[in-house]
């Protein structure tokens, strides 16, 4: 029986439920089955629950993009993995299950120097960071880069990946209490973020008066326009999120409209031409549902990242590991901006909990069987006694008859 964490509708944390999922079905020639140990949490899944994610299937559905675990079965065409291997995977939806069946192009062998928790922290954040920096951002030696949410999962990956390009000046925005953590992961100058009420763009201009070659914008709204205003010629803004849309447990439509919909800057080619800058958009979710050529590109980037991890050049950072049963607490923790780097959920603990429940059920069944056997034994004894009594009565009758016959003869 497959178990999974479902989003049962749009709303608060009560829309999260751990329950039975449909069977995996027959394993095809290109399939890999993974018994899951850990899964990753992203802003995307929170937005799915709140009804703000346009790619989300109709509820109820199993969300989740990434995870790691043991390979338990492979199809006949699979040569990159074998039963017993540790694997990391990235899929469009359905990652939050205790067992998953995945196409071989979406699952990779884990490097030996990673734990399951670290592996689950890798796919979405590090793939996003690498493609923002290189595929979209065109990072070169000597570039000046600004990244919002520098202490988050993507932000931490950006810090590590930018360090691999010489002479990169990396500036980040983050809550003041997270600045030291950001510096440990490759950032130079840090700016207080919007949560602290800071005018981050004014501070950014002071740090790099000549402007920025690349701004990685996860905020959206009018912050995208601010990012464009601090770019130098040939600079690029890559928008990859609307984290300002998250205001609490449930979506606030007035705040969403004010912060994101009405506040989002609109650009025309004519406006951008004199500035010689580019405004780009990136969405890992749409890439994961792309055509074969797109998926091959995603897969090759993942292979490169895993190589860099195995060489010790990248190391996923995990803030907290929550049991899957505490998903509501994990999402609250992220929404409130308390995490540094990645939040991971352990499914293993839930599986152990289920095993204990099964054990208790079996114990109760055994107890009932023992009781039934004891009752049977009691019945047997009663029958034996009854038989003895009946036999005794029969003997008595026989003796009486014999005595009567003897008296007649006399």
């Amino acid at each position: 029986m497959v178990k999974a964490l479902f989003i049962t509708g749009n709303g608060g944390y009560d829309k999260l439920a751990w329950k039975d999922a449909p069977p995996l079905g027959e394993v095809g020639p290109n399939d890999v089955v993974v018994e899951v140990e850990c899964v990753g949490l992203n802003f995307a899944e929170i937005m799915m629950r709140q009804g703000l994610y346009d790619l989300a299937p109709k509820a109820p559905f199993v969300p989740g993009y990434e995870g790691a675990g043991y390979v338990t079965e492979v199809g006949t065409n699979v040569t990159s993995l074998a039963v017993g291997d540790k694997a990391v995977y990235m899929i469009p939806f359905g990652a939050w299950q205790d067992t998953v069946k995945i196409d071989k192009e979406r699952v990779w062998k884990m490097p030996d120097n990673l734990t399951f928790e670290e592996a689950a922290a890798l796919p979405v954040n590090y793939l996003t960071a690498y493609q923002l920096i290189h595929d979209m951002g065109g990072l070169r030696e000597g570039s000046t880069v600004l990244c919002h949410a520098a202490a988050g999962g993507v932000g931490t990956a950006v810090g590590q990946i930018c360090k691999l390009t010489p002479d990169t000046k990396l500036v980040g925005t983050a809550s003041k209490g997270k600045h030291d953590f950001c510096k440990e992961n490759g950032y130079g100058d840090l700016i207080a973020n919007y949560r602290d009420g800071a005018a981050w763009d004014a501070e950014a201009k002071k740090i790099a008066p000549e402007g920025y070659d690349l701004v990685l914008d996860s905020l959206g709204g009018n912050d995208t326009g601010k990012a464009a205003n601090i770019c130098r010629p040939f600079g690029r803004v890559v928008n990859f999120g609307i984290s300002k849309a998250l205001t609490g447990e449930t979506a606030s439509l007035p705040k969403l409209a004010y912060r994101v919909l009405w506040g989002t800057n609109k650009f025309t080619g004519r406006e951008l031409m004199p500035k010689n800058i580019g405004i780009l958009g990136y969405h890992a979710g749409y890439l994961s549902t792309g055509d074969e050529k797109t998926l091959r590109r995603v897969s090759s980037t993942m292979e490169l990242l895993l190589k860099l991890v195995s060489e010790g050049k990248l190391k996923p950072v995990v803030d907290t590991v929550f049991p899957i049963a505490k998903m509501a607490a994990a999402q609250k923790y992220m929404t409130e901006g308390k995490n540094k780097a990645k939040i991971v959920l352990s499914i293993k603990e839930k599986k152990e909990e289920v095993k204990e429940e099964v054990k208790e059920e079996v114990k109760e069944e055994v107890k009932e069987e023992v009781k039934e056997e004891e009752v049977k034994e009691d019945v047997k004894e009663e029958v034996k006694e009854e038989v003895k009594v009946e036999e005794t009565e029969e003997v008595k009758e026989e003796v009486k008859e014999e005595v009567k016959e003897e008296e007649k003869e006399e």
Side-chain angles (χ1 to χ4, degrees), residues 137-248:
L139 184 69
R140 300 183 180 189
E141 289 188 23
S143 294
T144 302
V145 180
L146 183 141
C147 180
H148 284 298
V154 173
T156 301
V158 165
Q160 294 183 14
I161 293 170
C162 279
K163 282 197 298 185
L164 302 179
T165 301
D167 300 323
T168 299
K169 181 177 182 178
L170 184 58
V171 180
T173 71
S175 299
K176 291 178 181 178
K178 299 177 181 179
H179 285 191
D180 289 342
F181 170 79
C182 295
K183 289 180 178 180
E184 292 171 5
N185 282 283
Y187 287 84
D189 294 287
L190 276 302
I191 302 168
N193 69 6
Y194 75 96
R195 290 178 186 269
D196 294 330
W200 65 266
D201 53 331
E203 291 300 314
K205 287 179 181 178
K206 292 178 185 177
I207 293 169
E210 72 285 1
Y212 290 81
D213 299 290
L214 178 60
V215 180
L216 304 179
D217 169 33
S218 59
L219 302 179
N222 63 357
D223 287 287
T224 304
K226 294 176 183 178
N229 289 334
I230 62 171
C231 280
R232 60 179 290 108
F234 303 107
R236 304 178 190 183
V237 177
V238 187
N239 177 259
F240 66 102
I242 51 169
S243 62
K244 289 178 75 173
L246 296 180
T247 58

Side-chain angles (χ1 to χ4, degrees), residues 65-68 86-91 103-111 114 118-131 135 157 161 282 284 287-288 293-311 314 316 342:
Y65 277 124
E66 61 196 337
K86 295 178 180 179
V88 55
Y89 62 89
M90 180 177 170
I91 53 180
D103 184 88
K104 62 186 179 69
E105 297 298 329
R106 298 177 183 271
V107 56
W108 305 270
K109 190 172 182 179
M110 267 175 55
L114 286 188
E118 291 167 338
L122 177 73
V124 172
N125 288 167
Y126 281 76
L127 178 75
T128 296
Y130 187 92
Q131 293 187 321
D135 295 339
I161 293 170
Y282 174 90
L287 289 179
S288 67
K293 186 176 180 180
T294 302
L295 291 177
R296 278 202 305 269
R297 184 166 180 172
V298 169
S299 185
S300 65
T301 303
M302 273 298 301
E303 288 167 4
L304 171 61
L305 291 168
L306 291 166
K307 182 175 181 289
L308 292 171
V309 168
S310 65
E311 293 171 350
L314 297 176
K342 190 72 170 185

Side-chain angles (χ1 to χ4, degrees), residues 267-301:
F267 303 91
T268 66
R270 185 167 182 172
E271 291 172 322
L272 296 175
M273 283 166 59
K275 296 181 178 181
N276 289 290
I277 63 172
I279 311 294
L280 308 175
Y282 174 90
H283 197 304
Y286 278 93
L287 289 179
S288 67
T289 59
D291 59 19
E292 187 177 342
K293 186 176 180 180
T294 302
L295 291 177
R296 278 202 305 269
R297 184 166 180 172
V298 169
S299 185
S300 65
T301 303

Side-chain angles (χ1 to χ4, degrees), residues 32-35 69-74 81-87 109 116:
V32 178
V33 178
V34 178
E35 184 177 333
Y70 288 102
V71 175
T72 57
E73 195 171 352
V74 297
L81 290 162
V83 172
D85 284 345
K86 295 178 180 179
K109 190 172 182 179
F116 284 120

